[in-house]
Amino acid sequence: MKENLYITLIALILFVLIIWFMLTQPIFTTQLNREKKLEVKAENLKEQVYTIVDKFDDRIYSNIEMLDKTASYIYDEFQKQSDDVSYQTFEVDGFLDDPSNTYRNVIANFKGSKNCDEGLTVIGGHYDTFEGHAGANDNTSAVAGLLELVRLLKKHPPTCDVQVVAYSLEEPPFFRTPNMGSFQHAKYLHDNKIKVSKVIVLDMIGYFSDEKNSQSYPFPLMDKYYPKEANFISIVSNLSWKNIALTREIKGVFKDSSNLPVYSMNAFSFIPGIDFSDHHNYWKFDYPAILISDTAFYRSDNYHTPKDRPDTLDYERMAKVVEGVFRMVD
């Protein structure tokens, strides 16, 4: 009887350890514990967030004129750093008085110094906002990150080909539909048989807090492993082997690139937040894709409200996030 009890207990402990390992992807790379000079400039990120929010304050799906102006601004900024910039246009029919509505993804390409067999690296983030709010964190923070990345990619050409994409139409009512800009982009890559090594999506990368219990989670007991303070960046994906491997790779680079703590989760999509951004559209075409995020509504009640303003962001820690992304392609 005792022997059976011990076997059951050991099996249960092993099961819990396996689940913990699969979800959290612990790695044994030491976290950098000192300040490190960054290539990314926090002042550039701050300037772009304030500029975009000031100039393009109503980026709701129905304000196509404002979305076009935003896309043109991003295009012009991309063009300062890349010789290969283009729009990917797509139409959404039947929801406004205008029977045909054209939206734009903005794409900047950077040719790698070597012919890499593993394929293209895609880095993306959406530029539309919810209900016309300023959206400083959601998702102007990521757009500013993309603009800083293209500056660095010109200065330090990547080893392998990199494509930086600013998406339209991530927010409702188009979320989870084929009308999302990221779905259109992923489908184009697939239909044209373009090999992709990794997709890194940025969505809300600028809100941090050191206050106790400032971080929440979708399920009880998660704070037994993850921090209770909103002072870290997260890497999120599903449980495919490709995405588990990509999560571990990116996590290691982030831990070595700055002293900003990084935590990860690979889990089933029924856990709220696992597929809550553009990365999930690439899963549909079997591309490895992860989300880098500050965890959004799990740490800030500014999410999808008028309170999401530029003065609420931490640009120094945001720079460390973008530095980690840059080190993935450096």
Side-chain angles (χ1 to χ4, degrees):
M1 186 78 170
K2 276 187 178 181
E3 186 176 326
N4 289 338
L5 184 60
Y6 288 144
I7 292 172
T8 302
L9 183 60
I10 290 169
L12 180 60
I13 291 171
L14 285 173
F15 176 76
V16 170
L17 285 174
I18 290 169
I19 295 298
W20 169 77
F21 189 90
M22 292 289 287
L23 290 176
T24 64
Q25 293 304 313
I27 63 172
F28 303 104
T29 303
T30 303
Q31 176 77 55
L32 191 71
N33 60 5
R34 57 180 172 79
E35 289 292 338
K36 180 180 180 180
K37 185 177 180 180
L38 307 179
E39 289 280 353
V40 174
K41 304 300 183 187
E43 58 266 29
N44 292 350
L45 298 173
K46 184 175 183 178
E47 181 181 358
Q48 286 290 2
V49 169
Y50 273 87
T51 297
I52 293 169
V53 167
D54 181 56
K55 288 185 174 181
F56 315 108
D57 61 342
D58 183 10
R59 287 167 275 149
I60 191 172
Y61 71 93
S62 55
N63 193 343
I64 298 175
E65 181 181 3
M66 185 62 74
L67 288 174
D68 283 347
K69 288 180 179 179
T70 310
S72 294
Y73 176 80
I74 296 169
Y75 184 100
D76 290 343
E77 292 295 295
F78 278 2
Q79 202 168 44
K80 293 175 184 177
Q81 314 298 343
S82 171
D83 295 328
D84 185 0
V85 181
S86 62
Y87 290 119
Q88 179 192 11
T89 60
F90 57 98
E91 293 185 352
V92 178
D93 297 332
F95 72 96
L96 294 174
D97 293 336
D98 186 344
S100 179
N101 304 284
T102 301
Y103 294 90
R104 304 170 189 273
N105 294 333
V106 192
I107 301 171
N109 287 291
F110 294 85
K111 187 68 178 172
S113 58
K114 296 181 180 178
N115 292 322
C116 300
D117 293 336
E118 57 263 39
L120 181 69
T121 293
V122 176
I123 305 170
H126 72 91
Y127 64 86
D128 59 315
T129 60
F130 181 74
E131 291 189 352
H133 299 320
N137 198 28
D138 185 17
N139 194 29
T140 311
S141 63
V143 176
L146 298 182
L147 297 179
E148 181 67 355
L149 281 168
V150 297
R151 181 185 72 82
L152 293 176
L153 287 168
K154 180 179 182 180
K155 184 179 178 182
H156 305 283
T159 303
C160 302
D161 293 352
V162 175
Q163 188 171 91
V164 179
V165 190
Y167 312 115
S168 193
L169 298 191
E170 188 268 355
E171 298 287 3
F174 299 110
F175 184 66
R176 297 190 187 282
T177 75
N179 291 321
M180 291 178 71
S182 53
F183 180 93
Q184 295 291 323
H185 183 251
K187 184 175 185 299
Y188 174 85
L189 295 175
H190 175 266
D191 291 351
N192 287 274
K193 297 181 172 55
I194 297 173
K195 191 173 182 181
V196 175
S197 66
K198 65 180 74 72
V199 180
I200 301 171
V201 167
L202 310 180
D203 200 342
M204 288 168 281
I205 60 170
Y207 187 90
F208 299 89
S209 174
D210 293 313
E211 291 185 16
K212 192 173 182 179
N213 298 318
S214 53
Q215 181 69 45
S216 62
Y217 297 98
F219 297 115
L221 303 180
M222 286 183 67
D223 61 2
K224 300 303 179 186
Y225 174 77
Y226 295 103
K228 295 181 180 180
E229 293 76 38
N231 61 0
F232 65 94
I233 194 67
S234 70
I235 302 171
V236 176
S237 195
N238 63 14
L239 282 167
S240 79
W241 289 113
K242 286 191 291 189
N243 284 327
I244 286 172
L246 180 57
T247 297
R248 295 180 68 80
E249 177 189 2
I250 293 176
K251 193 173 183 180
V253 172
F254 265 62
K255 290 181 77 172
D256 189 54
S257 68
S258 80
N259 60 358
L260 179 69
V262 55
Y263 287 80
S264 64
M265 173 173 282
N266 290 81
F268 294 110
S269 295
F270 67 76
I271 294 181
I274 293 298
D275 65 350
F276 278 14
S277 191
D278 293 292
H279 61 302
H280 85 277
N281 282 318
Y282 294 90
W283 297 346
K284 298 173 183 178
F285 298 96
D286 200 32
Y287 290 130
I290 59 96
L291 169 67
I292 294 176
S293 175
D294 62 19
T295 75
F297 48 84
Y298 289 121
R299 67 171 57 171
S300 172
D301 61 5
N302 297 341
Y303 175 75
H304 281 186
T305 75
K307 295 187 294 181
D308 185 5
R309 304 295 305 179
D311 60 349
T312 64
L313 303 190
D314 184 328
Y315 296 96
E316 296 296 330
R317 283 193 267 201
M318 186 172 148
K320 294 176 182 180
V321 177
V322 181
E323 183 80 14
V325 179
F326 171 61
R327 294 301 174 190
M328 284 299 303
V329 297
D330 184 20

